[in-house]
Amino acid sequence: MKSDYYQQESQKVLKMLHSSEQGLTVDQVEQRQKKYGTNSLTEQKNRSWMGKFFAQFKDLMIIILIIAAIIAGVAGDFSDATIIFLVVILNAAFGVFQETKAENAIKSLKEMTTATSRVKRSGQIKVIKSSELVPGDLVILEAGDIIPADLRLLQSSSLKIEEAALTGESLPTEKTTAPLPETELPLGDRENMAFMNTNVTYGTGIGIVTAIGMQTEVGKIAKLLNETKQTITPLQQSVTHLSKLLSVLILAIAVIVFLVGTIVNQTSFLAMLLTAISLAVAAIPEGLPAIVTITLALGTQVMARKKALVRRLPAVETLGATEIIASDKTGTLTQNKMSVERLYLPNKLIAAKNYQPVATDHLIQSMILANDTQITEQGLTGDPTETALIQFNLDQQFSVAALQKSFPRIASLPFDSERKLMSAIVKANNEKTIMYTKGAVDELLERTNRIFDHGTVRLITENDRKQIKQANQQLAAQALRVLAFAYRPVKSLSPNAQLNPVLENQLIFVGLVGMIDPERPEVKQAIVQARAAGIRTLMITGDHKITAAAIAQRLKIIDKPTPKNIVTGNQLEKMSATELKQRVAEISVYARVAPEHKVRIVKAWQQRGKIVAMTGDGVNDAPALKTADIGVGMGITGTEVSKNASDIVLADDNFATIIIAVREGRRVFANIQKAIQYLLSANLGEVLTLFFMTLLAWDILAPAQILWINLVTDTFPAIALGVEKAEANVMKNQPRGAKSNFFSNGVFSSVIYQGILEGSLTLGVYWLAIQFPFHHSNELIHADALTMAFATLGLIQLFHAFNSKSIHQTIFTRRTFNNRIFNWSIIVSACLLFSTILIPAFNATFKVTALSWQQWAVVLLGGTLMLLIVETVKLVQRHIQKS
């Protein structure tokens, strides 16, 4: 494609791209999509399943395991060699499964957060995915948009675009539509062009797409750089570091086991080498990072179904630690639509729900006739205040259309900021001409000389005016927006006559209407739930102090407004950073603040060591969204810039969705902790069992047994724990705080004592089998003991998986079997584990013997004791916490 569009006149550019001012047709779009493809930057392709499979064999421990299998085969131990090769292949298969599952989850996440563009096609404005743009498309731009492709600007109204990411220029560039005759202009000087991935900071415009995807200026850079970077969260980094640390320790123990076995116990070199290698491979938690990734990625999909689109994986783990949520009012805490709440008729205030509209009522006539709302198939369109008046009557089952038909409009005086009034003149059925007026209370009262009082028109008195003003103040104190209504007969006018504002005098007052943008019904409960979870909610709004205070009080953000808990933007401006840090803990409502004030509020809380979530929808909110620990963008009202700066985007702009996301974040973090506790305690149990078997000069578990236990008991239950449902008390606990990690909340101590317990019970069962043998042959006695130890260690880990469903709470509830994936993982693992003993054909391969029912009873006792002892420890811990 040509690159000199900036030199051409707008009309010539349209011709060059075979487009028009009406945009492309459907056929043109389809043809160009086939020719040019999608408007996206080329990403690094995911590996094929075969590539993923062979990549699993690059791991050092797997390579060592393969070498061990080869050594065993050469030495004639074909059963161990077979099992080791089987474990290697199955382990690789699970690795492919984990990687694919994580890739699919992240791919789904990207699709959920796909950017959209407004385009003009066939004369119609449409919202499409930005990836569907083609050269020649007309794109409509406004403040907050991210430029979706390279554009030649055709229209510009005060348009400014921030291009720092591409040109390095920090200040936004003012755009024009005039052609630029110079050749080889630098990108920063092409003032009639807009480039992909830059931001509209001000104004509006229309541009025609000149290049998409890899043909754009940013696409050319993408060819030199690999754009796709694997997202590594802080938690994943910590887990990877932990895995490496444990690997070193386990390798050291494996070396000790090998040396003690060969030198002290005189066990064969080959047998101890295979055992030491098997121990190292089985005990090193190499699957932890993958399980963390899968758990995080699946968590984002759950959140997406609940209207919270997570754009960055780290947000999932941070959500659970959130302590402060600073929320905008309009549209997030409230419904962003006005609603009639109170009415005033002479000498009385009436709740809207108790007022029944009547066709002959002058107040109802004024509300409907002095109104420009359009009733369409899609709903009401117009000014939110006016649509609220119509909606009130529709909700009361009043026939708005019938009244409008009976009183056809002849002319109108539109609202203006000086008069603060709006009037409409209609023709009544009796051929009289009437003017209905609405507007600001003070302005309308100045033009009023009469009042409609209980069916009678009389002169208005000073006492009437006093009562009206008192009612106005009373409604305003409740954060209601108040409009006054009046009417008067006028001389007959010709249709569409030009009206003179002088007509808006000698009015007959009929009443007041108080309206409010009501709070979302679910938000109050969400705030209560957040408070129970130790999360504090703040309101930040550009509204007046009275309105903010009333809504905050209704939502229980504050009990009652005081100078300490509510501040305005002007007061905030006068505070130093130190003063704000000192006072921020007592402030719950910020009124009449500008978006840039949000950064100061976030930083003040962060300086106090708090994890802060911040909502925003405008271009100016982007710095605060980036500064906050969790930036929350608005999916409906939010600009593309604010969404791009956010960690989470609310598809419904609803505060309650943030609380749902926090709950999900806590669930995900808790599940990762459960998986870590389960895996590490199980691996520690295996290490201690082999270590003490070696020190005590007992027979030790065969490599095939060690690897099989690790394969069947670690993989399935650990992944299943990652999708556990949230515990009942998940939103009753205090936030874990910024300094917490996956060993917090008693996980570390649990790993230690549970690992020791697993090893002790396994060794105990082995000892019992030796002391109380079922056979008389020494060889059979030891074979039975090893088989029982093997079965016990595997069963203990499966029972312990149930323990791990909750770190502190009991599992003896109706929720014990509420995770079908977990239930099936235990069943499959148990079948794979015990088939080695119960199916005679496998006995020789796994070096096990058939057990009697008494011996199985001892194995079952060992597994049951693991369950009961851990549950008893939990009970004691809960009792200590309560006391």
Side-chain angles (χ1 to χ4, degrees):
M1 283 188 276
K2 296 182 179 181
S3 59
D4 60 350
Y5 294 108
Y6 65 88
Q7 296 176 309
Q8 311 301 328
E9 293 282 354
S10 298
Q11 289 302 316
K12 186 174 180 181
V13 175
L14 283 168
K15 289 181 181 178
M16 291 169 69
L17 291 164
H18 304 288
S19 187
S20 72
E21 293 179 353
Q22 298 303 307
L24 300 175
T25 64
V26 174
D27 290 340
Q28 285 178 310
V29 171
E30 289 179 355
Q31 290 171 5
R32 297 185 190 197
Q33 284 176 339
K34 291 177 183 177
K35 181 178 179 180
Y36 298 110
T38 60
N39 176 37
S40 57
L41 299 177
T42 302
E43 296 184 350
Q44 188 178 26
K45 291 184 178 179
N46 290 331
R47 291 179 296 191
S48 66
W49 71 268
M50 188 67 75
K52 292 172 188 171
F53 183 78
F54 285 114
Q56 308 300 318
F57 297 95
K58 295 178 182 179
D59 183 80
L60 176 62
M61 298 310 298
I62 297 299
I63 293 172
I64 294 173
L65 203 57
I66 293 172
I67 294 171
I70 294 171
I71 294 171
V74 171
D77 193 344
F78 295 110
S79 61
D80 273 351
T82 302
I83 292 300
I84 292 173
F85 272 124
L86 180 61
V87 167
V88 166
I89 292 170
L90 289 175
N91 189 70
F94 289 136
V96 172
F97 166 77
Q98 290 172 337
E99 187 175 339
T100 303
K101 190 74 175 173
E103 279 180 2
N104 291 340
I106 294 170
K107 181 181 177 182
S108 299
L109 173 62
K110 287 182 179 179
E111 291 174 354
M112 291 170 189
T113 57
T114 300
T116 58
S117 299
R118 286 197 304 149
V119 299
K120 190 175 186 180
R121 288 178 176 173
S122 301
Q124 301 292 318
I125 306 298
K126 299 179 179 180
V127 178
I128 65 168
K129 291 181 180 179
S130 295
S131 59
E132 297 174 359
L133 286 172
V134 294
D137 260 326
L138 298 186
V139 180
I140 299 168
L141 305 173
E142 61 182 23
D145 286 348
I146 292 176
I147 305 297
D150 284 1
L151 313 174
R152 167 65 164 88
L153 296 172
L154 305 179
Q155 294 180 26
S156 173
S157 178
S158 305
L159 187 65
K160 293 182 181 181
I161 298 179
E162 188 267 304
E163 300 175 332
L166 194 62
T167 66
E169 177 60 50
S170 57
L171 295 176
T173 303
E174 292 189 22
K175 292 297 181 178
T176 181
T177 59
L180 303 170
E182 296 89 345
T183 59
E184 302 300 328
L185 270 181
L187 296 182
D189 293 333
R190 299 182 188 182
E191 296 173 354
N192 57 12
M193 298 290 293
F195 301 105
M196 187 179 193
N197 284 2
T198 58
N199 308 326
V200 180
T201 60
Y202 191 78
T204 60
I206 297 177
I208 184 169
V209 176
T210 60
I212 63 171
M214 297 303 289
Q215 301 302 315
T216 63
E217 296 300 330
V218 75
K220 294 173 185 177
I221 298 172
K223 290 177 183 177
L224 305 175
L225 302 173
N226 183 6
E227 272 233 327
T228 306
K229 296 179 181 178
Q230 187 177 5
T231 302
I232 302 295
T233 72
L235 182 57
Q236 286 173 286
Q237 292 172 352
S238 300
V239 169
T240 302
H241 176 73
L242 174 66
S243 295
K244 290 178 180 177
L245 180 63
L246 291 175
S247 298
V248 173
L249 294 175
I250 291 166
L251 285 172
I253 292 174
V255 170
I256 294 171
V257 167
F258 172 75
L259 294 174
V260 172
T262 53
I263 298 172
V264 179
N265 299 339
Q266 299 296 307
T267 307
S268 73
F269 177 87
L270 177 63
M272 285 311 304
L273 177 63
L274 292 176
T275 300
I277 291 173
S278 300
L279 169 63
V281 173
I284 292 173
E286 70 282 344
L288 262 184
I291 289 170
V292 169
T293 303
I294 291 172
T295 305
L296 289 173
L298 292 178
T300 65
Q301 292 184 330
V302 173
M303 290 185 192
R305 290 196 292 272
K306 297 178 180 179
K307 307 296 185 183
L309 308 182
V310 180
R311 299 186 68 254
R312 298 181 179 91
L313 278 181
V316 181
E317 65 196 62
T318 311
L319 266 172
T322 300
E323 297 167 278
I324 304 294
I325 300 177
S327 176
D328 187 29
K329 178 186 76 69
T330 306
T332 306
L333 298 175
T334 62
Q335 298 177 30
N336 197 22
K337 61 179 183 180
M338 300 300 289
S339 174
V340 174
E341 187 149 308
R342 304 290 295 278
L343 297 98
Y344 172 79
L345 298 174
N347 304 319
K348 62 179 178 180
L349 276 170
I350 306 170
K353 62 183 179 181
N354 296 329
Y355 190 77
Q356 186 60 48
V358 180
T360 56
D361 188 330
H362 284 295
L363 178 57
I364 296 301
Q365 291 174 349
S366 302
M367 291 167 67
I368 294 173
L369 301 175
N371 197 313
D372 290 328
T373 297
Q374 298 295 314
I375 304 176
T376 67
E377 293 181 0
Q378 289 74 36
L380 304 179
T381 60
D383 179 83
T385 302
E386 293 192 329
T387 58
L389 299 173
I390 298 296
Q391 190 62 54
F392 162 73
N393 286 281
L394 292 175
D395 290 342
Q396 300 294 84
Q397 307 301 313
F398 183 76
S399 179
V400 172
L403 184 69
Q404 290 174 331
K405 187 175 181 180
S406 300
F407 292 81
R409 182 182 292 191
I410 299 173
S412 65
L413 266 170
F415 176 87
D416 78 42
S417 56
E418 290 186 10
R419 291 171 25 254
K420 296 183 180 178
L421 298 172
M422 179 270 179
S423 297
I425 296 180
V426 301
K427 178 77 73 175
N429 287 336
N430 56 10
E431 296 301 315
K432 288 185 177 180
T433 305
I434 304 173
M435 181 176 73
Y436 290 98
T437 302
K438 73 173 185 296
V441 178
D442 293 341
E443 294 292 334
L444 188 136
L445 275 180
E446 285 186 9
R447 292 166 170 78
T448 299
N449 63 357
R450 288 165 291 172
I451 187 170
F452 186 83
D453 184 7
H454 295 86
T456 304
V457 177
R458 60 175 175 81
L459 292 175
I460 194 167
T461 66
E462 285 303 315
N463 187 51
D464 291 328
R465 294 181 186 276
K466 182 179 178 181
Q467 289 183 342
I468 292 168
K469 289 178 180 178
Q470 286 177 343
N472 179 36
Q473 291 172 352
Q474 187 176 343
L475 294 173
Q478 299 171 37
L480 302 182
R481 181 179 181 184
V482 185
L483 286 179
F485 294 83
Y487 78 101
R488 62 162 290 196
V490 293
K491 294 180 179 180
S492 181
L493 295 171
S494 59
N496 302 315
Q498 294 293 317
L499 298 186
N500 191 320
V502 174
L503 283 173
E504 293 174 332
N505 282 296
Q506 300 180 350
L507 300 174
I508 303 169
F509 177 86
V510 293
L512 306 176
V513 173
M515 292 172 282
I516 196 169
D517 177 10
E519 66 273 20
R520 289 178 180 264
E522 66 275 19
V523 165
K524 186 174 180 179
Q525 180 58 37
I527 290 173
V528 171
Q529 189 179 9
R531 187 180 295 119
I535 303 168
R536 181 169 172 182
T537 304
L538 311 177
M539 178 194 287
I540 301 179
T541 179
D543 274 345
H544 289 282
K545 189 175 181 178
I546 292 176
T547 305
I551 292 293
Q553 201 168 356
R554 287 164 68 151
L555 290 173
K556 300 298 182 184
I557 292 175
I558 56 174
D559 293 326
K560 64 178 182 178
T562 68
K564 286 187 175 182
N565 61 24
I566 300 180
V567 300
T568 64
N570 286 336
Q571 292 173 308
L572 197 61
E573 286 281 357
K574 296 174 184 177
M575 290 186 202
S576 65
T578 303
E579 184 183 358
L580 179 58
K581 179 184 175 183
Q582 292 172 343
R583 284 200 56 192
V584 73
E586 62 187 17
I587 303 169
S588 295
V589 180
Y590 297 85
R592 302 302 279 175
V593 297
E596 52 266 30
H597 291 143
K598 291 185 177 183
V599 174
R600 291 194 64 199
I601 298 167
V602 170
K603 287 183 176 179
W605 276 110
Q606 287 175 332
Q607 287 168 2
R608 296 176 72 97
K610 301 296 184 181
I611 300 291
V612 184
M614 169 69 72
T615 70
D617 58 4
V619 178
N620 292 333
D621 289 326
L625 293 171
K626 286 185 176 180
T627 303
D629 300 283
I630 295 287
V632 182
M634 302 294 113
I636 299 173
T637 60
T639 60
E640 287 299 326
V641 170
S642 63
K643 293 177 191 177
N644 198 48
S646 302
D647 302 291
I648 294 174
V649 176
L650 303 183
D652 57 1
D653 290 11
N654 190 346
F655 176 86
T657 304
I658 304 176
I659 304 304
I660 292 171
V662 169
R663 175 187 173 87
E664 188 61 24
R666 290 190 175 191
R667 182 191 71 84
V668 167
F669 187 86
N671 286 352
I672 292 172
Q673 280 193 312
K674 293 170 186 176
I676 288 173
Q677 175 185 309
Y678 171 69
L679 283 173
L680 295 189
S681 58
N683 289 3
L684 179 60
E686 293 171 12
V687 169
L688 292 177
T689 298
L690 265 73
F691 182 71
F692 282 103
M693 276 182 162
T694 305
L695 289 182
L696 296 169
W698 291 356
D699 290 335
I700 58 176
L701 295 172
Q705 295 171 333
I706 301 168
L707 292 172
W708 194 249
I709 287 175
N710 186 74
L711 182 71
V712 302
T713 63
D714 276 9
T715 307
F716 295 124
I719 293 174
L721 284 170
V723 293
E724 272 290 299
K725 295 179 181 179
E727 294 184 44
N729 65 341
V730 70
M731 291 300 283
K732 294 179 182 177
N733 300 325
Q734 295 299 300
R736 65 177 193 269
K739 295 182 180 180
S740 68
N741 57 51
F742 45 82
F743 276 146
S744 303
N745 198 30
V747 172
F748 181 77
S749 58
S750 296
V751 167
I752 301 301
Y753 92 79
Q754 288 166 9
I756 294 172
L757 181 59
E758 283 192 29
S760 300
L761 288 171
T762 304
L763 294 170
V765 168
Y766 180 92
W767 181 83
L768 281 173
I770 297 294
Q771 296 299 315
F772 304 98
F774 189 78
H775 295 98
H776 299 290
S777 162
N778 188 59
E779 183 180 348
L780 285 176
I781 291 172
H782 283 83
D784 283 354
L786 272 180
T787 301
M788 290 173 68
F790 165 68
T792 302
L793 184 57
L795 186 63
I796 280 175
Q797 292 188 9
L798 295 181
F799 273 40
H800 184 45
F802 279 97
N803 286 136
S804 301
K805 283 170 70 75
S806 178
I807 294 172
H808 295 296
Q809 300 302 314
T810 180
I811 63 161
F812 297 126
T813 67
R814 289 180 296 176
R815 298 168 56 86
T816 302
F817 301 102
N818 65 349
N819 182 348
R820 289 184 181 179
I821 296 175
F822 179 87
N823 297 339
W824 278 109
S825 75
I826 297 298
I827 292 171
V828 170
S829 296
C831 289
L832 290 172
L833 178 68
F834 296 126
S835 64
T836 60
I837 302 172
L838 298 174
I839 299 175
F842 292 155
N843 290 174
T845 304
F846 286 93
K847 297 180 173 59
V848 295
T849 59
L851 300 178
S852 67
W853 71 265
Q854 295 96 328
Q855 290 170 317
W856 277 113
V858 174
V859 169
L860 182 62
L861 176 63
T864 305
L865 281 175
M866 181 70 194
L867 191 71
L868 296 178
I869 293 172
V870 172
E871 284 301 305
T872 302
V873 172
K874 287 184 189 178
L875 179 64
V876 173
Q877 288 174 335
R878 292 196 299 272
H879 180 72
I880 292 172
Q881 287 176 350
K882 288 180 180 179
S883 60

